[in-house]
Amino acid sequence: MERWQVVRELAPSDQSFTCGALSPDGRWAVAGVGRWYADEIVALYIWDARTGALERQITLQLPCVWSVAFHPT
């Protein structure tokens, strides 16, 4: 049986993430926050995956975020 270990927790808000992705080189992590309730914002959060530092929050004018991905190159 494989053993998994939490390396870093990335959580800038009390909202639930609807999706997430890790860049192919392991440098960046991105997560989308959807709108489950009317008072929640819709945003993307981008972290430096190595340090856990939140690099950017992008607030979106969309109804929700269901998926995020990195281009492989």
Side-chain angles (χ1 to χ4, degrees):
M1 174 166 71
E2 291 186 43
R3 296 175 64 122
W4 293 87
Q5 176 182 348
V6 174
V7 175
R8 188 164 322 284
E9 290 186 24
L10 306 171
S13 72
D14 59 354
Q15 295 181 198
S16 299
F17 294 120
T18 54
C19 54
L22 186 62
S23 66
D25 63 1
R27 170 116 194 252
W28 303 104
V30 63
V33 175
R35 183 173 301 200
W36 295 106
Y37 303 102
D39 61 340
E40 289 185 335
I41 62 168
V42 177
L44 293 176
Y45 293 92
I46 303 170
W47 296 270
D48 181 319
R50 296 175 186 156
T51 66
L54 179 63
E55 296 292 329
R56 183 167 293 177
Q57 174 186 343
I58 303 169
T59 303
L60 305 171
Q61 300 298 318
L62 298 170
C64 63
V65 178
W66 290 112
S67 64
V68 293
F70 283 93
H71 192 278
T73 58

